[in-house]
Amino acid sequence: MIIDVPDLALVALVGISGSGKSTFARKHWKSTQVLSSDFFRGLVADDENDQSASADAFEVLHYVAGKRLAAGRLTVVDATNLQPHARAGLVKVAREHDVLPVAIVLDVPESLAWERTQARADRTFGRQVLTRMHRDLRRSLNQLSREGFRKIHVLRGAEEIAGAEIRYEKLFNDRRDEHGPFDIVGDVHGCRAELELLLGKLGWDLVRDERGRPVDAVHPEPGRKAVFVGDLVDRGPDSPGVLRLVMGMVAAGHAICVPGNHEQKLARKLNGRNVQLTHGLPETLEQLAAEPDEFVAEAKAFIEGLVSHYVLDDGKLVVAHAGLKEAYHGRASGRVRSFALYGETTGETDEYGLPVRYPWAKDYRGSAAVVYGHVPTPVPEWINNTICLDTGCVFGGSLTALRWPSRELVAVPAAKEYYAPVRPLVAVATKPDSGLDIADVTGRRHIDYGYGRTTVPAENAAAALEVMGRFAVDPETLVWLPPTMAPCSSSTVDGYLEHPSSAFADLRAAGVSRVVCEEKHMGSRAVVRVSASGAGDAIWTRTGRPFFGPELDEPLLARVRAAAAPLFAELETDWLLLDAELLPWSAKAGSLIRDHYAGVGAAGRSALPAALAVLDRTAGRGLDVAALRDRLELRAAEIDGYSAAYRAYVKPTDGLTGVTLAPFAVLAGAGHTYSGKDHDWHLALADLLVAADPELFTPTRRMNVDLDDPAAEAAATDWWLALTAGGGEGMVVKPWAGLAATDASGRLVQPGVKCRGREYLRIIYGPEYTRPEQLDRLRGRNLGRKRALALREHGLGLAALDRLAEGAPAWRVHELVFAILAAESEPVDPRL
């Protein structure tokens, strides 16, 4: 016997003691999916047979069941479930979470159940208890449907129970496996002519019957489907024509459709129900009166077969007539259907006598885009990843479609005003709220960002909030933060802690065959957002802070804006996001250099010559201090090298005089992320900025290397040696393919590993780090945590750019940027 169970449901096993419920549950479900009343009695009373603990046990069981259902997990309840009040509690939990309650009844002869019960030492009740249970079971069979169970399966006898198979079925609204692309059409309201025009503009070819009426439409692009958000009928001139076309497209598999409240009302009228003849229904009934009875019957059956909403494209898209809040996505209940048809109201009416709609979209936080209609608006506008496509065609507005996944809006104007609106169709006076909320980033949070999953501890979030709240630029401007960068593996080359051979080996091990070696500028990381108009321009640090302050940031941005003009034209965008380094290091890190580095150098240069002079005088008196003097002399040379290392990055500046920018990546523009472009593309655009303003912009020297070519590696190593010998910090070795490079399994690889010069590392590890014993110790440094952090921050940054490009609401971009900043509180060796 095949038992069909929805893949999201609350399944209640019903049967007397000894009927085999627990055995049946173990056979068909994971142990984590089954909630046993015996287990919960033991949990609250230390005795699974203590019936006095049943009330508490079921209270806890219902709580756990609710948590599982809220998370979208099938839940099975293993209990006798013979009493109506026990089953009512389960139906209540299922309804609270908008899932279907399912009953599976195990009906075995009382004699067999008694035989099994006697074999169990923990069952001490008498036969009369089993007889009463069996009587309750017989009564229950006729009550389950009335109690609210939507599916009831009765297995009679041990043989039928043993041979049963569970088969899972998707809910009607689950079309996650359909990826489109889709053309989602707003409320038509009987405007057949406009619908034909819109479909034509979208590239659909109409199919007409012998009387010339459109009965289907076909698109030349494979897989493309139309999606109708409901309200096909009422108010307009040809509701039957719209129904005929949409019904034909749905029957042919070229479209899907959700019901609107106007279809719902029409179906009720066609079924003889008493409804008010308002809001265009009389006109539709008059138009249908001219159609054959067969067509009216087909239309009624079509409307009654429509599903409240659809979840499409791996859960990325939800279509419902009046919208749908996240908790209802993919659920099935009267409450869900009501929200999908009518939305949510405040209980008030406006000055026109119409219900005031609750603005659920402003509170929406779901990752799925919700596309809907129902409430006419002059211009569709994305609000928190939701968009209303009802642009009032029947009221003289337009008929609008959204192309998915490109998010392109396509519209045709109405030929005329067919029906006067009760409420004027006027534009909203103010811009919708962006939806930023402190609750989106506080506390312990788990984030699935597409490139992986991460947990943001509450204490890290608090630290990030302190920085973000007090110092950072506007969160809507702060759309990306640079990830930390891991160094290459420790080198075994004599005298070197980091060496190009290790960097090349690291990327080769990750499956990268071609790399670009970029000069590593010793400065301060700077992210620049610049636009053609100057609106929203900003420059910020790795922690999101404004760089210098308005007195210097604004003239700096003006020069970047002027130099970027050719890029705006070439990339067809009105703004760009640049990743760069601001030079010199001392321009931003002057206090750091003075407080942490210069003091060490000054102390050494002052004390060591004096100490050497004392040792010289001591040696002149015939004492053997040669070994000590050699150590101090070495120390003095190391201090000189240390001082020379940081002094190389200290340059005089006066305001912006002496300040330069070294751009090396163009991250994003209007509607685009450029993470998929190779580094030659990025650096070529950076060269255009250098050419436009060579005084402000510094070029990034680089060399492409084929990792299968030893000669190319050797040449790059020589280049690095010359670069670092001339005072350069080192180089960054990046996968040539670009920021989103992946390995053979499709996982992100490190966006780059830094390979720093021998002398530069004195600043990081101290003047004496090149001593053999020190190098041996440092080679054991643990890079695992740093690499994991770098990769996590990189993935979060890429996801933020993706969301920015797709037009996601500000809070969805900001939560990822905030997570990057929070990750900076991880306990990682800062020298790495």
Side-chain angles (χ1 to χ4, degrees):
M1 182 176 181
I2 302 296
I3 299 176
D4 289 323
V5 175
D7 53 13
L8 176 56
L10 178 64
V11 179
L13 300 181
V14 181
I16 67 176
S17 181
S19 60
K21 298 183 299 300
S22 297
T23 301
F24 185 83
R26 282 193 298 271
K27 177 181 177 181
H28 295 287
W29 294 287
K30 300 175 184 177
S31 59
T32 52
Q33 294 177 302
V34 179
L35 307 182
S36 164
S37 60
D38 288 346
F39 171 82
F40 281 95
R41 266 190 291 269
L43 196 65
V44 300
D46 295 328
D47 182 356
E48 293 186 352
N49 296 305
D50 184 355
Q51 298 300 314
S52 67
S54 290
D56 289 338
F58 275 98
E59 182 179 348
V60 179
L61 185 152
H62 290 165
Y63 177 80
V64 175
K67 288 296 184 182
R68 287 186 57 83
L69 295 174
R73 295 184 174 92
L74 176 82
T75 301
V76 180
V77 177
D78 174 13
T80 57
N81 292 319
L82 296 172
Q83 300 297 326
H85 68 85
R87 297 191 295 269
L90 297 180
V91 171
K92 180 174 181 288
V93 171
R95 286 176 174 167
E96 286 174 348
H97 295 89
D98 304 288
V99 302
L100 299 179
V102 176
I104 299 179
V105 181
L106 276 59
D107 186 5
V108 300
E110 182 185 330
S111 57
L112 175 59
W114 176 243
E115 180 182 332
R116 292 173 175 172
T117 300
Q118 286 182 305
R120 293 182 58 178
D122 61 335
R123 293 292 189 259
T124 57
F125 52 78
R127 177 73 179 262
Q128 73 278 4
V129 174
L130 212 59
T131 300
R132 187 175 68 250
M133 286 183 176
H134 200 264
R135 185 171 60 249
D136 290 340
L137 177 66
R138 303 260 70 80
R139 293 196 188 106
S140 299
L141 291 176
N142 296 324
Q143 298 174 354
L144 294 172
S145 178
R146 293 195 298 273
E147 289 173 354
F149 286 95
R150 297 289 295 275
K151 284 181 174 287
I152 302 165
H153 303 280
V154 181
L155 302 176
R156 291 186 167 86
E159 185 175 340
E160 195 168 291
I161 292 171
E165 293 183 20
I166 302 293
R167 182 173 64 188
Y168 294 103
E169 57 184 10
K170 296 194 305 180
L171 292 175
F172 293 138
N173 56 41
D174 184 358
R175 294 203 178 184
R176 289 177 173 85
D177 56 342
E178 291 195 29
H179 306 291
F182 301 109
D183 291 331
I184 310 168
V185 180
D187 301 38
V188 183
H189 279 299
C191 299
R192 177 187 54 78
E194 285 81 359
L195 177 57
E196 291 185 30
L197 285 174
L198 180 61
L199 290 173
K201 191 172 182 178
L202 292 166
W204 291 81
D205 297 319
L206 294 174
V207 178
R208 300 181 183 273
D209 63 11
E210 65 281 356
R211 295 173 56 183
R213 301 175 300 185
V215 294
D216 192 7
V218 180
H219 202 283
E221 183 178 354
R224 183 169 285 277
K225 277 190 176 181
V227 183
F228 294 92
V229 304
D231 275 5
L232 306 173
V233 302
D234 291 351
R235 297 179 175 141
D238 192 2
S239 291
V242 173
L243 284 170
R244 184 176 291 106
L245 174 53
V246 174
M247 288 163 55
M249 293 178 70
V250 171
H254 300 147
I256 57 178
C257 182
V258 297
N261 58 300
H262 284 262
E263 282 81 50
Q264 179 81 354
K265 189 175 181 182
L266 173 61
R268 293 175 62 209
K269 178 61 179 177
L270 294 177
N271 280 317
R273 303 286 294 276
N274 184 23
V275 300
Q276 292 184 348
L277 299 180
T278 55
H279 304 302
L281 180 58
E283 289 83 353
T284 300
L285 293 174
E286 183 180 348
Q287 293 162 14
L288 286 173
E291 299 289 337
D293 292 342
E294 294 81 0
F295 175 81
V296 177
E298 289 174 8
K300 182 170 76 73
F302 169 75
I303 293 170
E304 291 176 338
L306 295 178
V307 178
S308 66
H309 71 284
Y310 284 113
V311 181
L312 303 159
D313 196 13
D314 294 328
K316 299 173 188 172
L317 174 65
V318 172
V319 178
H321 174 63
L324 206 64
K325 54 188 179 183
E326 186 181 17
Y328 292 168
H329 294 181
R331 304 299 174 114
S333 70
R335 178 169 62 174
V336 171
R337 186 175 180 84
S338 177
F339 193 107
L341 284 170
Y342 306 105
E344 192 172 17
T345 63
T346 65
E348 304 168 301
T349 56
D350 61 17
E351 64 270 31
Y352 304 102
L354 297 175
V356 176
R357 306 289 177 188
Y358 182 80
W360 64 272
K362 288 191 176 182
D363 299 329
Y364 182 71
R365 289 294 182 273
S367 59
V370 180
V371 183
Y372 62 104
H374 189 54
V375 180
T377 179
V379 180
E381 190 160 12
W382 285 98
I383 301 175
N384 288 334
N385 215 20
T386 76
I387 189 169
C388 176
L389 296 183
D390 183 358
T391 46
C393 182
V394 76
F395 300 131
S398 60
L399 184 61
T400 299
L402 173 75
R403 309 203 86 172
W404 180 271
S406 66
R407 297 189 178 222
E408 175 191 359
L409 289 167
V410 180
V412 295
K416 65 176 185 177
E417 180 184 275
Y418 298 101
Y419 199 93
V422 175
R423 181 193 291 124
L425 196 65
V426 295
V428 179
T430 58
K431 182 180 182 294
D433 183 10
S434 66
L436 289 179
D437 191 320
I438 193 172
D440 295 330
V441 294
T442 51
R444 183 179 176 87
R445 305 188 65 247
H446 304 279
I447 302 175
D448 184 340
Y449 52 93
Y451 297 93
R453 296 181 178 87
T454 189
T455 297
V456 179
E459 58 272 23
N460 290 15
L465 188 61
E466 172 74 8
V467 174
M468 193 81 75
R470 293 182 62 190
F471 307 113
V473 300
D474 186 330
E476 290 198 44
T477 300
L478 189 65
V479 293
W480 187 77
L481 284 176
T484 190
M485 182 175 293
C488 62
S489 296
S490 298
S491 173
T492 58
V493 176
D494 188 34
Y496 289 90
L497 180 60
E498 295 178 10
H499 191 269
S501 57
S502 298
F504 297 144
D506 288 341
L507 287 170
R508 188 183 298 109
V512 177
S513 60
R514 187 181 182 190
V515 299
V516 58
C517 301
E518 295 182 7
E519 171 187 10
K520 190 174 192 306
H521 300 283
M522 184 51 182
S524 303
R525 195 73 170 265
V527 184
V528 184
R529 197 268 189 195
V530 64
S531 64
S533 66
D537 288 2
I539 178 170
W540 60 89
T541 68
R542 279 202 68 235
T543 55
R545 304 171 189 236
F547 221 89
F548 295 117
E551 69 285 351
L552 293 182
D553 283 359
E554 290 177 7
L556 176 63
L557 289 166
R559 290 182 64 179
V560 176
R561 188 182 311 127
L567 274 64
F568 296 141
E570 180 175 336
L571 299 177
E572 297 180 344
T573 180
D574 58 359
W575 65 268
L576 288 171
L577 189 68
L578 307 175
D579 192 8
E581 196 85 5
L582 187 139
L583 306 171
W585 186 32
S586 54
K588 186 63 178 172
S591 59
L592 175 69
I593 296 169
R594 287 191 300 272
D595 297 342
H596 291 273
Y597 302 113
V600 173
R605 292 191 305 274
S606 174
L608 289 170
L612 287 170
V614 169
L615 289 175
D616 287 339
R617 290 195 298 272
T618 303
R621 299 205 309 266
L623 295 176
D624 184 8
V625 292
L628 177 57
R629 191 187 189 289
D630 288 345
R631 288 199 302 273
L632 288 185
E633 191 170 33
L634 174 62
R635 179 71 169 169
E638 290 169 340
I639 283 289
D640 287 341
Y642 176 83
S643 298
Y646 70 74
R647 282 172 175 168
Y649 311 115
V650 177
K651 302 287 173 62
T653 58
D654 182 10
L656 292 181
T657 302
V659 172
T660 63
L661 270 178
F664 45 82
V666 181
L667 299 167
H672 295 282
T673 172
Y674 304 119
S675 58
K677 299 290 188 179
D678 62 65
H679 282 290
D680 282 351
W681 182 90
H682 286 281
L683 292 168
L685 293 180
D687 288 343
L688 292 177
L689 293 173
V690 174
D693 189 345
E695 184 181 336
L696 175 62
F697 291 101
T698 294
T700 296
R701 292 173 284 180
R702 67 268 193 180
M703 177 181 291
N704 289 343
V705 179
D706 183 345
L707 294 183
D708 295 327
D709 183 354
E713 286 194 32
T717 300
D718 291 341
W719 177 71
W720 176 82
L721 289 169
L723 192 69
T724 55
E729 179 185 348
M731 68 182 181
V732 180
V733 184
K734 302 177 179 179
W736 174 86
L739 298 172
T742 58
D743 61 17
S745 63
R747 293 176 300 185
L748 286 175
V749 299
Q750 291 287 350
V753 293
K754 55 190 177 184
C755 181
R756 296 166 289 185
R758 187 173 186 270
E759 291 306 311
Y760 169 80
L761 286 174
R762 289 192 192 277
I763 304 175
I764 306 301
Y765 288 106
E768 70 285 355
Y769 96 99
T770 50
R771 297 178 187 180
E773 67 275 13
Q774 293 280 49
L775 279 176
D776 287 343
R777 179 180 61 83
L778 290 172
R779 284 181 176 126
R781 58 189 183 164
N782 186 356
L783 301 178
R785 184 184 288 271
K786 179 73 169 184
R787 286 175 170 172
L789 181 64
L791 207 52
R792 188 193 329 154
E793 292 184 4
H794 174 54
L796 287 164
L798 288 180
L801 294 176
D802 291 343
R803 291 184 182 180
L804 181 68
E806 72 184 21
W811 71 267
R812 294 202 72 228
V813 178
H814 183 61
E815 70 168 350
L816 301 179
V817 177
F818 191 92
I820 296 171
L821 186 58
E824 286 295 298
S825 297
E826 293 285 332
V828 176
D829 185 349
R831 299 175 300 175
L832 298 176

